[in-house]
Amino acid sequence: MTLQTLKRQQHALSIAERQIRILDDHEAIGVDSFEQRINAIGMMPLTPVSVDVFQINVGKMCNQVCKHCHVDAGPDRKEIMTRETMQQCLDALKISKATTVDLTGGAPEMNPDFRWFVEEISKLGKQIIVRCNLTIILANPKYHDLPAFFKKHKVNVVSSLPSFTARRTDAQRGDGVFEKSIKALQMLNEIGYGKEETGLKLDLVYNPSGAFLPDDQAVLKSEFERKLKESFNIVFNDLYAITNLPVSRFLDYLVNSSNYEAYMNELVNAFNPAAAAGVMCRSMISISWDGYLYDCDFNQMLEMKLKDGAPDHIKDFNLDRLMAREILINQHCFGCTAGAGSSCGGTTTN
C-alpha cells in the first residue's frame, strides 16, 4: 500500500499549529523545555554567528512518500518555488556573505526551473548542494542526465540511503527504492562522483528507521563503505548520520506507535551542551518555496517564521537584521543537540 501525505489524508498533524501544541506540552511527559536547558548553559537567547548557508526549499513535490519525512513531501504536493522567487534568492545571495547554497525539497529536481536556478547559482561562484533522493534520476527519462548536469556544475550530491539492505530501505522509503537507489549511485560513480581524485563529492545521509538515536557516524560510514563496495562496487565520500526530529510524519509515527514520550525523554536525556553551541541554525538561513525566511528547515515545516524585527521574506534580505535576530526554539530542537549533535551536515561534535 502506498503511503499518503498527511495533507492528502487531511490529517490533523498536517497543520503545523497542532504539531506545536503537542511539542509545547513538555510538562505532560515530564521533561524540561529546550529553553530551560539552553538557559542553564548560558545560551539563551540563542543567536546566530553567521549566515554562511542559504538552504532553499524549492518545492514540496516529490516522487517518493517516505515514512519519516518532516516535509510531508509527495507527488500530490503542489507547492513549487517560482522563477520570480528564485531570482529574489539570487539577488539576496549577491549581497550576502553566504558561501553555500543547499537545495532541498521534496525532490528539488522536480521544480521546472531547477536547472536554470543551479546554473545561475553556479555563475555566482557558490558551492551548491543538492539533496537528491536518488530515485528521481530513474523516475523519468528527462531526469536520466542529472548525473552529467550535476558534474557540469560541480554540485555536491547529498543522497538519502537509510540502509545498505533492501528490506530496511524499502520499509522506510517505499517498495523498490533500494534497487533504484543503487542504480542511481552506480550512475553517479560512473561519471566520477564519490572518487577522491575527481573532486565530485557524493555524500550519503543515514537516519534511523525507528524511535532511537543514530549510531556513531564514523562507525556507520565504515560499515556502509564496506557493504556497498563489496555488494555493488559503490564508493562515496562522506556519510551523515541525522537524528529524526519529532516533526510532521515522524511525529505522527511517534504518537501512533506510543513512542512519543519515550523518544522525547531520550532526546532530552542525551542533551549535549557542545552540540547546542554548534546547531546549524546559528550559521544558516532557511528559505521556503514561497520565499519566507526561517531559522532552519524544521522551523520552516512548523511555520515558525523569524522573530519580530528580522526580515520575513527573501525579497527584504538584510544581513545586519538577520544577524541581530533571536532564533526561535521549541522541543524539536532537542533532536539537533542530542548525543553528538545533528545537522544537515551530520554530527556537530567530534
Side-chain angles (χ1 to χ4, degrees):
M1 183 175 66
T2 302
L3 187 68
Q4 292 186 336
T5 63
L6 298 179
K7 185 171 184 178
R8 188 183 183 108
Q9 297 174 53
Q10 298 184 314
H11 194 290
L13 292 185
S14 66
I15 299 172
E17 182 182 351
R18 292 175 179 171
Q19 296 181 51
I20 291 175
R21 200 176 302 159
I22 293 172
L23 294 169
D24 275 341
D25 196 12
H26 61 92
E27 292 181 355
I29 59 174
V31 298
D32 289 343
S33 70
F34 189 73
E35 181 176 341
Q36 287 174 314
R37 287 297 181 95
I38 288 292
N39 191 52
I41 60 172
M43 287 188 62
M44 193 65 199
L46 191 64
T47 55
V49 294
S50 65
V51 181
D52 294 332
V53 179
F54 273 37
Q55 187 171 70
I56 306 175
N57 187 306
V58 298
K60 296 187 178 182
M61 185 179 294
C62 190
N63 61 310
Q64 294 182 178
V65 185
C66 302
K67 288 183 178 179
H68 67 285
C69 183
H70 72 281
V71 180
D72 192 34
D76 61 289
R77 301 304 299 261
K78 306 304 181 187
E79 300 92 332
I80 287 289
M81 182 175 279
T82 64
R83 187 175 289 209
E84 178 185 7
T85 304
M86 288 178 174
Q87 185 60 58
Q88 291 169 348
C89 291
L90 292 168
D91 293 341
L93 275 167
K94 291 172 186 175
I95 61 172
S96 77
K97 295 181 181 179
T99 58
T100 302
V101 179
D102 187 343
L103 300 177
T104 184
E109 302 91 343
M110 294 183 76
N111 184 301
D113 290 312
F114 169 77
R115 296 185 192 227
W116 173 84
F117 198 28
V118 169
E119 289 167 354
E120 293 302 307
I121 297 168
S122 183
K123 292 176 186 176
L124 298 179
K126 308 296 183 181
Q127 179 189 1
I128 304 171
I129 297 171
V130 171
R131 306 268 164 183
C132 179
N133 68 19
L134 295 175
T135 63
I136 189 66
I137 294 173
L138 301 171
N140 186 297
K142 68 181 179 180
Y143 300 124
H144 290 179
D145 68 332
L146 278 171
F149 177 78
F150 292 151
K151 179 179 180 177
K152 178 181 178 181
H153 296 285
K154 297 182 173 58
V155 170
N156 176 185
V157 180
V158 178
S159 303
S160 303
L161 191 70
S163 176
F164 43 75
T165 68
R167 180 181 60 82
R168 290 180 61 185
T169 298
D170 288 0
Q172 185 181 119
R173 305 184 73 84
D175 291 344
V177 166
F178 181 76
E179 182 180 352
K180 293 174 184 175
S181 297
I182 292 298
K183 175 60 178 172
L185 287 170
Q186 290 170 336
M187 290 170 67
L188 288 163
N189 275 177
E190 285 171 7
I191 64 167
Y193 269 96
K195 299 174 182 179
E196 295 290 347
E197 67 275 10
T198 66
L200 298 172
K201 207 161 185 294
L202 173 62
D203 302 323
L204 301 184
V205 170
Y206 165 89
N207 61 290
S209 57
F212 48 88
L213 298 179
D215 292 332
D216 180 82
Q217 182 169 281
V219 172
L220 284 166
K221 179 185 177 184
S222 179
E223 192 173 15
F224 269 73
E225 281 179 329
R226 181 171 56 84
K227 293 287 188 179
L228 291 177
K229 181 65 175 175
E230 287 177 355
S231 300
F232 308 104
N233 198 32
I234 287 171
V235 294
F236 62 92
N237 296 105
D238 288 320
L239 180 140
Y240 304 143
I242 296 180
T243 300
N244 288 319
L245 268 64
V247 176
S248 194
R249 290 208 286 262
F250 189 68
L251 178 59
D252 179 46
Y253 158 75
L254 291 173
V255 171
N256 280 340
S257 63
S258 300
N259 277 304
Y260 176 69
E261 181 174 344
Y263 189 68
M264 290 306 302
N265 271 274
E266 185 173 8
L267 292 182
V268 174
N269 291 336
F271 177 79
N272 181 352
V279 285
M280 61 184 178
C281 55
R282 303 191 72 200
S283 59
M284 69 177 293
I285 199 73
S286 174
I287 305 162
S288 67
W289 64 273
D290 51 0
Y292 286 95
L293 302 181
Y294 300 83
D295 295 304
C296 74
D297 191 45
F298 300 104
N299 280 14
Q300 182 185 146
M301 299 313 149
L302 290 169
E303 299 179 9
M304 295 168 58
K305 291 181 180 176
L306 297 188
K307 202 158 177 84
D308 291 345
D312 69 350
H313 196 277
I314 192 62
K315 71 179 186 300
D316 301 314
F317 180 84
N318 183 297
L319 183 59
D320 291 338
R321 288 169 61 198
L322 287 171
M323 288 298 296
R325 79 189 192 276
E326 177 183 339
I327 294 169
L328 289 176
I329 57 175
N330 204 310
Q331 296 301 89
H332 63 290
C333 301
F334 276 115
C336 293
T337 59
S342 179
S343 74
C344 289
T347 57
T348 57
T349 62
N350 294 322

